Amino acid sequence: MNKTYGTIVGLFMVCLFLLWRHYRKSRQAQTLVFAQLKRYPLIQRAWAAAREDREPTVTISGLSSGMLASAVIGNNMESCQHMTPQGLALSEEWLFISLYCGDHQHHSQIMVFDRRSGKHSKNVVLPKRPHVGGLAYDSEKAILWVTITGNGSGRVGALSLTKLFADNSEQTGVPIVFDSIVDLHKIERASYLTCYQQELIAGSFALKGSGLIAYYTLPHAAGNEDVAKKTRFSPRIQISTTTKVQSIAFYQEWVFLARSFGPSASEIWIFPKEAAAFNKKTVSFRIKCPPYLEQIVVEEYRLYCLFESGATAYRHKTPWPIEEVLVLDIPTLLHKKTGFKRNRRLHI
């Protein structure tokens, strides 16, 4: 009896220790992120406000130490220290991040995280080495769209969640096969992507001149097989953009564009939805962000932000590499006390 009691007490103490260690590690990570955002007070406040919901933090582990990736030649799994985050998408239960190999020796891949715990669930090896600059999740058909390399036009691949979770490419190194591949007509390349009100919205990145966003209506018939029949989408509308756009997201009557290039501060430009073009003349206001911002995603009143600064190629170019998916409270970002006025840059 005493031995059994002692075993129970011992197990209880071990559990308490593990919980304490997890809590301490979580607090340390939060303290670090808070310090990283010191130069961006508005972002810092929005992040702190979102933390009140205690949503689990998603951290991309292995960016500097190496993560398993499939070699381009031979399909054998090996450690890669050059995987670079690019695309972000959310389903109700899962968070998806796309990555490409910075030294072009390994296949691009998708990391899958459990949103309830924040834990990494699995990796999916993609065909070839596309830049995978954007992800989009179609909740109606449970399809994950991925930007891939096109031939003179934008191109996306479709993966049903059923196929994605049945995939064993992480063990075999053999890439998954897309359910379908669709060319996006009248756009030179699909650099970023989102899904909004049953439209697939793709944009092309431009370092100089103007970029372009095109809106493609998705098939309305039920079933993934209806998407697979399509090999080409034509745009409903096209809109020109400013330079350096990395992603697009929608919130109520606003359009958010993430702009980033190089080690200088990124920005989020916010426009009214009815704007005829997304440029300096039509922007309502701009928010300064940490460098190397990639895809942003809106869910209800939260803005999820993915950065590539944690990747080997960029982590030494900024004093504060970010390996976490930052979740920001949108009402805090848009609060009237921030000086919400047309065409005003926000640094506070």
Side-chain angles (χ1 to χ4, degrees), residues 197-225:
Q197 294 184 345
Q198 280 307 293
E199 285 196 309
L200 203 61
I201 301 161
S204 60
F205 177 88
L207 187 56
K208 297 180 180 180
S210 299
L212 187 67
I213 292 175
Y215 294 61
Y216 302 88
T217 302
L218 290 168
H220 289 287
N224 297 337
E225 66 277 2

Side-chain angles (χ1 to χ4, degrees), residues 2 14 28 42 107 114 150 163 187 215 254 258 268 299 313 325:
N2 291 336
V14 169
Q28 288 174 338
L42 181 56
H107 287 268
D114 187 330
K163 185 170 189 175
I187 190 170
Y215 294 61
W254 304 103
I268 296 173
E299 184 183 72
V325 176

Side-chain angles (χ1 to χ4, degrees), residues 49-75:
R51 287 296 304 167
E52 294 178 2
D53 284 349
R54 300 186 183 278
E55 181 175 351
T57 300
V58 170
T59 301
I60 313 169
S61 59
L63 291 179
S64 59
S65 61
M67 64 176 66
L68 282 179
S70 178
V72 174
I73 300 175
N75 294 131

Side-chain angles (χ1 to χ4, degrees), residues 24-38 44 47 59 315 319-324 326:
R24 185 168 179 264
K25 186 176 180 180
S26 176
R27 291 292 298 175
Q28 288 174 338
Q30 291 177 36
T31 301
L32 177 60
V33 172
F34 194 80
Q36 287 173 312
L37 299 177
K38 184 178 180 179
Q44 190 184 61
W47 176 80
T59 301
R315 65 185 304 110
W320 299 108
I322 297 176
E323 298 183 352
E324 298 83 9
L326 291 189

Side-chain angles (χ1 to χ4, degrees), residues 148-294:
I148 55 180
T149 305
N151 185 17
S153 67
R155 182 172 289 178
V156 291
L159 287 171
S160 68
L161 285 201
T162 301
K163 185 170 189 175
L164 189 147
F165 281 102
D167 173 73
N168 65 348
S169 59
E170 187 174 17
Q171 288 74 43
T172 66
V174 179
I176 195 171
V177 177
F178 288 112
D179 291 308
S180 64
I181 293 177
V182 178
D183 285 327
L184 303 179
H185 187 44
K186 291 190 177 181
I187 190 170
E188 183 179 351
R189 60 191 176 279
S191 304
Y192 53 92
L193 197 66
T194 193
C195 193
Y196 180 70
Q197 294 184 345
Q198 280 307 293
E199 285 196 309
L200 203 61
I201 301 161
S204 60
F205 177 88
L207 187 56
K208 297 180 180 180
S210 299
L212 187 67
I213 292 175
Y215 294 61
Y216 302 88
T217 302
L218 290 168
H220 289 287
N224 297 337
E225 66 277 2
D226 299 292
V227 175
K229 292 176 183 177
K230 291 281 188 179
T231 58
R232 188 174 185 179
F233 290 167
S234 295
R236 174 182 64 83
I237 190 175
Q238 294 173 280
I239 299 177
S240 64
T241 72
T242 184
T243 58
K244 304 178 183 178
V245 178
Q246 297 283 2
S247 60
I248 182 172
F250 295 81
Y251 175 75
Q252 296 182 4
E253 71 269 28
W254 304 103
V255 176
F256 289 36
L257 295 186
R259 296 184 71 246
S260 174
F261 187 79
S264 58
S266 304
E267 288 185 315
I268 296 173
W269 285 24
I270 302 180
F271 303 83
K273 274 186 184 177
E274 64 272 14
F278 300 136
N279 53 38
K280 291 181 180 179
K281 294 181 180 180
T282 60
V283 64
S284 292
F285 68 100
R286 300 176 279 181
I287 300 174
K288 187 179 178 182
C289 303
Y292 298 109
L293 176 61
E294 288 296 315

